[in-house]
Amino acid sequence: MAEAKGIAIIGGTGNQGFGLALRWAKAGQRILIGSRDRAKAQAAAERVKTAVGSSHVEGLENAEASAKTNLVVLTVPFAAQVGILKSLRESFKPGDMLVDVTVPLEIALGGRATRVLGVWAGSAAEQAVELVPKTVRVVSAFHNVSAVVLQDLKHAVDCDVIVCGDDPEAKQVVRSLIEYLPGAGYVDGGPIENSRTVEALTALLASINIRYKTQRAGIRVTGLPSVSG
Ligand SMILES: NC(=O)c1ccc[n+]([C@@H]2O[C@H](COP(=O)([O-])OP(=O)(O)OC[C@H]3O[C@@H](n4cnc5c(N)ncnc54)[C@H](OP(=O)(O)O)[C@@H]3O)[C@@H](O)[C@H]2O)c1
């Protein structure tokens, strides 16, 4: 799936999306960087090309990027999630996948990165489910991976990625995206409602980062058999 049409990263000009773009472009994937501003997307695409020597990276407006592929990754601040997903609604096709990376941190409203906001739907991911057409399969992932770690191509991504969603096939597609990140591990986090817990962990990691004066805290789940669902 990812190989066929490429990976659209909505908000790929920002910290987390740019880090994922770098890693996936380096792994040979076709990347469509989305932005509200095409020139900004194109500039980010050029930076990715220069950094990893890939020619399969382009910059587009968000809805154009989403329309061009069947695999869309959303990396925007929580405060922008509803508006951006509404703006993408017409660009989705039946069977498309949305990988939601949004964390509802208080900082999105001017508060602290160490606190999670209450979301009426339960989590940012469940809010995304309510905003996209019913034919779009939503998976949540990459909440606990630091953007600084992603952008540091000299080092492996020493972190597990907990993936939540209700469509087993879609989760396997995300598993393949995780396999493009050297060092990162896939963990099946269960149904989309479990994203509530995974998203909240990011606030804890932000707090740990402050105490340890780093920006690289991540998580590892231990005790699992080597082959997991
Ligand atoms: N940074 C991390 O380490 C990290 C780790 C895990 C999860 N996350 C989550 O990933 C998401 C993105 O985080 P980030 O740090 O990459 O955010 P960011 O750099 O602040 O923003 C990402 C992009 O979102 C776009 N955007 C769309 N609407 C926006 C608005 N109203 N205000 C500001 N930007 C807007 C911007 O792209 P254009 O201007 O080009 O449209 C921006 O470059 C967040 O939900 C965050 O909680 C981040």
Side-chain angles (χ1 to χ4, degrees), residues 11 13-17 35-36 40 75-78 80 84 101-103 105 142-143 145-147 202:
T13 55
N15 297 317
Q16 192 75 347
S35 169
R36 294 167 294 177
K40 189 175 170 187
T75 59
V76 298
F78 177 70
I84 294 281
V101 187
T102 315
V103 183
L105 295 178
F142 304 109
H143 303 95
V145 188
S146 149
T202 307

Side-chain angles (χ1 to χ4, degrees), residues 98-122:
L98 176 73
V99 183
D100 191 75
V101 187
T102 315
V103 183
L105 295 178
E106 198 184 75
I107 197 171
L109 302 180
R112 298 183 183 188
T114 53
R115 291 181 178 168
V116 187
L117 293 165
V119 183
W120 189 265

Side-chain angles (χ1 to χ4, degrees), residues 57-75:
V57 187
E58 59 183 311
L60 300 161
E61 285 181 16
N62 286 326
E64 285 177 323
S66 168
K68 272 195 162 189
T69 184
N70 49 7
L71 179 51
V72 178
V73 180
L74 184 67
T75 59

Side-chain angles (χ1 to χ4, degrees), residues 116 143-144 162 196-206 208 219:
V116 187
H143 303 95
N144 309 139
I162 302 179
R196 300 168 194 196
T197 311
V198 182
E199 292 170 21
L201 279 177
T202 307
L204 178 65
L205 290 171
I208 290 169
I219 58 152

